[in-house]
Amino acid sequence: MERVIDRDGLADFLRRRRELLSPADVGLPDGARRRTPGLRREEVAQLAQMSTDYYSRLEQSRGANPSEPIIASLSRALRCDLDERDHLYHLAGFAPPLRRAGRHISPGLLGLVERLTDIPVCICTDIEEVLWQNHLSDVILGVPCGHGLERNLTWRWFTDPRTRQIFPEEDWPAHSASHVAELRATHTRRNGDSDVAELVTALLDSSKEFRTLWESHEVAVHRLPRKRVLNPEVGTLDLSCEVLLTPEADLRVRAFLPLEGTETRDKLALLQVIGTQTFA
């Protein structure tokens, strides 16, 4: 079926949503006095991780056809609720995602995590696809790139050796067991939903280690609450991983707290200043 985009409708919706938001709504400073209400185009582009020129073209009913990941990013940047998100997808010629909590970050949840600036925080689906990370999480865990499997923590753990380099090697078996046990629990709870089944099949085909652990049939909702992360700038970070679930239990907010009695709190404060230059 041919994709049909309502370019004028999309442009109008983007512009009206932008004008309804204030900088405070999205965690930005007010700055100088504004001649028009709402956010500036460059602020929406920054929040959606795209160029200002690309976003401006969308508001002007021209430019390239936006992809689904672009529409998802705009939905989050413009703080759309589920009805608004679905409308945005329809305007862009896509079928909206299923109404599960697993892929939609509500404006309230996004507003909450954006205020947690002094600890690493990320939001993942129940199959460990990274949807959002704050600045410190980018610094210590790396900036997630790409889409789909490329943003899936479990897939990357078993297929990309670089993913493991930020953790001590002696901790790798515990991380592997935790990834598999949590995926097993999600697979059972979701009763073979296609996204879970496809991830499991891909991992079984790609990783002998995953296949061995999967066949052991261990199950856990959450394990490995303490993590050690290796950082080239400040050394080892000793962290406690607290997992908060949405009411539907399809989104996981992971907050990494410094362990008391260690130097990790001071190290995180230093990394806030250093920034992501190591990963540039």
Side-chain angles (χ1 to χ4, degrees):
M1 184 175 178
E2 185 179 356
R3 175 184 170 193
V4 179
I5 303 176
D6 181 352
R7 287 192 173 275
D8 291 338
L10 177 63
D12 184 64
F13 180 76
L14 293 175
R15 184 170 54 255
R16 291 181 184 276
R17 280 298 305 163
R18 175 173 62 82
E19 291 172 350
L20 287 173
L21 294 172
S22 70
D25 291 331
V26 296
L28 295 175
D30 284 329
R33 198 173 81 176
R34 294 163 186 257
R35 292 177 293 178
T36 57
L39 298 177
R40 298 186 176 99
R41 286 175 176 173
E42 57 265 29
E43 291 170 333
V44 175
Q46 175 189 341
L47 291 167
Q49 297 182 318
M50 63 184 64
S51 72
T52 301
D53 179 67
Y54 183 91
Y55 176 76
S56 297
R57 288 174 178 270
L58 290 178
E59 275 204 13
Q60 296 163 358
S61 304
R62 59 194 183 94
N65 295 342
S67 65
E68 282 195 73
I70 287 291
I71 295 301
S73 294
L74 286 170
S75 174
R76 289 193 288 270
L78 294 170
R79 301 306 194 262
C80 294
D81 62 23
L82 282 174
D83 290 333
E84 292 162 341
R85 180 206 67 175
D86 289 357
H87 182 62
L88 181 58
Y89 270 77
H90 285 305
L91 290 171
F94 295 114
L98 295 176
R99 285 207 170 204
R100 308 184 62 93
R103 293 205 56 79
H104 179 70
I105 304 175
S106 70
L109 180 59
L110 199 55
L112 171 65
V113 294
E114 284 179 337
R115 287 165 170 77
L116 302 176
T117 59
D118 60 342
I119 59 172
V121 180
C122 65
I123 300 178
C124 301
T125 67
D126 61 350
I127 58 172
E128 298 301 304
E129 180 183 351
V130 178
L131 300 178
W132 180 92
Q133 285 190 172
N134 69 357
H135 171 70
L136 268 179
S137 191
D138 286 342
V139 171
I140 72 165
L141 300 179
V143 180
C145 300
H147 307 288
L149 288 177
E150 295 175 13
R151 298 181 69 90
N152 187 284
L153 297 176
T154 302
W155 170 261
R156 286 164 47 199
W157 180 262
F158 287 103
T159 63
D160 186 351
R162 295 172 298 178
T163 302
R164 305 191 179 202
Q165 299 309 310
I166 63 171
F167 301 100
E169 187 170 355
E170 59 268 28
D171 293 351
W172 291 359
H175 282 281
S176 295
S178 178
H179 278 298
V180 174
E182 289 192 10
L183 181 56
R184 171 70 75 175
T186 299
H187 184 270
T188 301
R189 178 176 60 83
R190 295 249 243 109
N191 195 25
D193 284 354
S194 60
D195 59 337
V196 188
E198 289 168 5
L199 174 60
V200 172
T201 299
L203 283 164
L204 288 171
D205 291 341
S206 302
S207 170
K208 181 179 178 180
E209 180 189 11
F210 176 86
R211 186 164 58 252
T212 299
L213 289 168
W214 186 259
E215 290 170 354
S216 71
H217 211 118
E218 290 188 27
V219 179
V221 175
H222 175 55
R223 295 170 55 177
L224 204 63
R226 295 190 174 186
K227 298 181 185 292
R228 293 187 297 165
V229 177
L230 306 178
N231 182 271
E233 302 292 342
V234 298
T236 301
L237 298 165
D238 296 290
L239 301 163
S240 170
C241 180
E242 298 295 330
V243 180
L244 311 176
L245 302 178
T246 61
E248 295 83 0
D250 280 343
L251 278 187
R252 299 171 180 176
V253 179
R254 297 183 184 273
F256 298 90
L257 306 174
L259 282 180
E260 297 299 331
T262 71
E263 298 178 346
T264 298
R265 186 181 302 277
D266 292 336
K267 292 178 179 179
L268 288 177
L270 178 59
L271 287 173
Q272 279 188 285
V273 178
I274 294 174
T276 59
Q277 56 187 309
T278 304
F279 298 95

